Amino acid sequence: MIWNETFECMSREEMRRCQSRRLVDMVERVYHNVPFYRKKMQEMGVGPEDIRGIEDLPKLPFTTKQDLRDNYPYELFAVPMSEVVRVHASSGTTGKPTVVGYTRKDLATWSEVMARTLTAAGVTRHDFVHVAYGYGLFTGGLGAHCGAEKIGASVIPISGGNTRRQLQIMHDFGSTALACTPSYALHLAEALMESDYNRDEFKLRVGTFGAEPWTENMRREIEEKFRIKAIDIFGLSEIIGPGVSSECTCQNGLHVFEDHFVPEIIDPVTLEVLPEGADGEIVFTTITKEGLPLLRYRTRDLTSLDYSPCRCGRTLVRMKKCFGRSDDMLIIRGVNVFPSQVETVLLEMKETSPHYIITVDRKNNLDTLELQVEVKEEFPFDRISELQKLTDRIKRTMESALQISLSVKLVETKTIARSEGKAVRVIDKRKIGNRE
Ligand code: DLL
C-alpha cells in the first residue's frame, strides 16, 4: 500500500521539476525572511536569482547544529511567532537544546510524511498503533501519533516508560503496531518473554523503530523475539522529526520523502558532494517548510543513496540504513571505531546480549577502551573458567574487528541499565563536558 502515489511514485524527471520549483521558492523566502541566511549567501556572493533549479543546490551554504545553537532559540525561524503553532526541541547532554518551530502547514506536512512512513511499514486504518516513543519536546511521540491519526488507525498514546504497563496495555488493548526506539523494542520483547503472558495472546505484528542507529543483527533479534516485522524509520528534529525517510516492507533501504526533503551525500571532511552509491554524510534541504526552513543541513549521519527502482513501486531515492555518525565516531589511539561495529560482533555471539557499554578513557596519555557486555541468562556466570574463556574470545574477536586492543568485562544478565528512549552506549570520559 502506498499513501500518496502521486509523490511517492513520480518519475525522476517529474521529481526534479517538483524539487526545482519548490527550491527556488524556498530560497527566495529564506533570503528575505532569515537574516542569517541572507548574510551567509551574500558572503558567498550568491543571490536568489542564481538558484534556478535543483542542480544549483551546491551553490548554497551549509547549515550546522552549531548555527542553530548560535541562533537560539528562534532566530532562524522564517515566519513571525504568531504563525508558529508548535515548538519541539532535541536535547543534548550538555548545553542548550536545538529548538524547532512548526506552522500549521508544517504540522500538516509532518502528519503526511508520517502517514507515508506508517503506510510503507504496512500499517493501515485497521491497526492499533502503540506509540511508546516519548511525548513532549522530543518529536518521536507526537510525530508517530499524528501520522497514525491521519491514516485513521486507532492510536494508543502510551508514551515511554513503565515496561510492565506497556505489556499490559499492549495485551489488553490489542496493539498491532509498535512505535518506539529499537533498543526499547528489544527490552519490551525480553520483558514479554520473561513475563507470565503468552505471546500468542498478543496481536502485535509490526514495529516502526528509529531515533538511534541499529544493526541488521539487532533487527533480526527483535523480529525473532517479538515475532513481528521491524521497520527502520529515520528523521531528525531539525528537518521535521520522524518522517524524513522510511523503509517499506521490502526492508531494503529507507525511501526519502524527497518532495519535501532533498538529500545529498557529502564527504564530511572536504564537504564535496559525492556520487550515487558513495558512503558519506547525508545533508538535507527542506523545500516546503515554513517555520524553520533549512538549507543543506549537515546531519552528521553516515549513509549512501540508491536511485534504482524499488520492488514496492516507490520511485523515491533510498538511503542505506545509517551506519553511524561522523561525530560519534570514536577515535581511539588514532583508530576510528563505531559503536555499531561492536554491536555487530556481539550479536554474532550466542552467549552475549546486545546490551553493552563502551567506556573510553585516557590513562597516562594513552586511550583505553573497556567494553562491558551482558551475558545471556542461560550463561553459567558462576563458572569462572567459562567466564574467562568467553572474555578471551570476545577480546580476540573484537580486537581483530576493531584493530585496537581493549579490555572486556562480562556482567550478569539485566545489569546494564535499559533505556526507555535512546540507548546510551558510549561513555567517553576523555571529553566529558563538551559532548553534545
Ligand atoms: O530521533 C526523530 C525520530 C523519532 C526519528 C522517532 C525516528 C523515530 P532527534 O532527536 O533530533 O530526532 O535525533 C536525530 O537520531 O540525526 C540520527 O543520528 C538519529 N536517528 C534517527 N533515526 C535513526 C535511524 C529523532 N533510523 C538523530 N537510524 C539523527 C539511525 C537514527 N539513526
Side-chain angles (χ1 to χ4, degrees):
M1 271 247 304
I2 291 170
W3 177 258
N4 187 336
E5 274 201 53
T6 312
F7 287 98
E8 294 183 78
C9 305
M10 60 174 43
S11 71
R12 294 303 318 167
E13 299 87 86
E14 274 178 293
M15 179 57 79
R16 281 183 75 82
R17 277 203 298 277
C18 162
Q19 291 175 330
S20 292
R21 263 196 323 273
R22 290 178 170 184
L23 177 71
V24 168
D25 174 61
M26 135 105 184
V27 169
E28 188 77 39
R29 266 188 298 122
V30 296
Y31 189 84
H32 291 108
N33 298 345
V34 187
F36 165 83
Y37 277 127
R38 186 162 54 245
K39 183 160 170 275
K40 266 206 160 183
M41 286 174 66
Q42 281 167 351
E43 278 166 10
M44 292 172 78
V46 189
E49 65 287 353
D50 297 311
I51 309 300
R52 301 213 183 83
I54 202 68
E55 62 286 357
D56 293 322
L57 203 52
K59 294 182 185 164
L60 291 167
F62 288 107
T63 313
T64 62
K65 204 174 183 79
Q66 192 56 44
D67 292 329
L68 274 105
R69 292 218 174 100
D70 293 345
N71 290 280
Y72 177 83
Y74 305 136
E75 290 298 301
L76 292 189
F77 287 14
V79 294
M81 284 312 282
S82 55
E83 300 292 311
V84 172
V85 296
R86 172 107 62 85
V87 289
H88 279 278
S90 84
S91 55
T93 50
T94 61
K96 292 170 184 165
T98 307
V99 183
V100 298
Y102 302 75
T103 64
R104 207 170 286 289
K105 181 171 163 238
D106 292 335
L107 288 186
T109 304
W110 193 13
S111 300
E112 157 80 23
V113 288
M114 276 311 288
R116 292 186 195 177
T117 294
L118 292 163
T119 307
V123 177
T124 72
R125 58 198 298 265
H126 302 295
D127 277 294
F128 287 82
V129 183
H130 188 104
V131 183
Y133 283 117
Y135 280 65
L137 287 177
F138 175 55
T139 51
L142 278 163
H145 182 107
C146 295
E149 267 187 5
K150 187 166 172 86
I151 64 177
S154 310
V155 187
I156 304 170
I158 185 159
S159 193
N162 199 340
T163 303
R164 263 221 68 77
R165 187 152 168 277
Q166 295 276 353
L167 293 180
Q168 183 202 342
I169 300 289
M170 206 179 273
H171 175 269
D172 297 355
F173 290 17
S175 309
T176 55
L178 171 64
C180 65
T181 57
S183 51
Y184 196 48
L186 190 54
H187 178 55
L188 283 169
E190 287 173 349
L192 168 58
M193 289 167 81
E194 280 165 17
S195 71
D196 299 332
Y197 288 114
N198 176 350
R199 168 63 183 92
D200 294 337
E201 289 166 10
F202 284 69
K203 299 218 174 81
L204 203 66
R205 58 178 191 82
V206 62
T208 51
F209 306 129
E212 62 186 9
W214 51 309
T215 55
E216 282 302 333
N217 289 328
M218 182 138 168
R219 186 205 310 266
R220 223 168 303 133
E221 182 123 3
I222 295 173
E223 291 195 329
E224 281 169 16
K225 288 198 163 144
F226 241 149
R227 283 194 259 140
I228 60 172
K229 197 164 179 97
I231 298 288
D232 189 9
I233 74 168
F234 171 89
L236 56 159
S237 325
E238 295 88 328
I239 300 304
I240 198 129
V244 174
S245 66
S246 169
E247 278 183 340
C248 58
T249 46
C250 301
Q251 294 174 310
N252 186 20
L254 291 83
H255 292 282
V256 179
F257 301 120
E258 49 175 328
D259 49 322
H260 295 287
F261 319 115
V262 181
E264 295 170 280
I265 298 286
I266 63 161
D267 179 318
V269 179
T270 64
L271 306 186
E272 185 196 343
V273 178
L274 299 179
E276 176 179 351
D279 284 337
E281 177 180 335
I282 192 158
V283 167
F284 288 102
T285 299
T286 68
I287 49 174
T288 53
K289 256 176 63 191
E290 296 180 333
L292 179 65
L294 293 178
L295 296 179
R296 309 187 80 200
Y297 184 70
R298 292 193 53 188
T299 61
R300 299 284 181 176
D301 295 310
L302 300 173
T303 177
S304 61
L305 292 175
D306 178 356
Y307 285 87
S308 68
C310 179
R311 273 183 295 130
C312 71
R314 287 175 185 79
T315 51
L316 299 168
V317 62
R318 281 170 292 159
M319 57 185 259
K320 200 166 66 184
K321 209 168 184 356
C322 281
F323 59 88
R325 285 176 60 89
S326 62
D327 58 354
D328 80 10
M329 178 178 80
L330 295 161
I331 304 182
I332 300 168
R333 279 169 260 141
V335 179
N336 298 349
V337 176
F338 288 99
S340 57
Q341 291 174 285
V342 171
E343 193 172 311
T344 303
V345 172
L346 290 181
L347 279 154
E348 275 160 12
M349 303 204 157
K350 57 182 193 315
E351 301 89 344
T352 57
S353 80
H355 300 292
Y356 62 91
I357 292 181
I358 298 171
T359 309
V360 189
D361 206 347
R362 184 162 289 159
K363 288 182 189 138
N364 302 327
N365 294 320
L366 254 190
D367 293 338
T368 59
L369 190 159
E370 186 198 74
L371 181 64
Q372 264 188 54
V373 188
E374 245 185 51
V375 292
K376 288 202 175 133
E377 184 133 37
E378 57 274 19
F379 185 82
F381 199 80
D382 43 359
R383 298 243 298 271
I384 305 286
S385 65
E386 292 295 317
L387 212 55
Q388 193 55 49
K389 257 199 265 166
L390 181 59
T391 308
D392 290 346
R393 185 149 57 85
I394 294 177
K395 183 171 152 65
R396 266 199 321 275
T397 321
M398 223 36 105
E399 287 182 344
S400 99
L402 306 180
Q403 292 295 308
I404 52 161
S405 61
L406 48 89
S407 66
V408 173
K409 185 171 169 210
L410 296 179
V411 294
E412 277 182 274
T413 184
K414 303 280 161 346
T415 46
I416 290 179
R418 302 298 193 255
S419 148
E420 284 156 2
K422 301 188 192 220
V424 179
R425 297 201 167 104
V426 178
I427 301 171
D428 195 343
K429 295 189 176 163
R430 297 173 304 178
K431 51 177 185 180
I432 280 181
N434 59 8
R435 292 191 65 206
E436 267 186 5

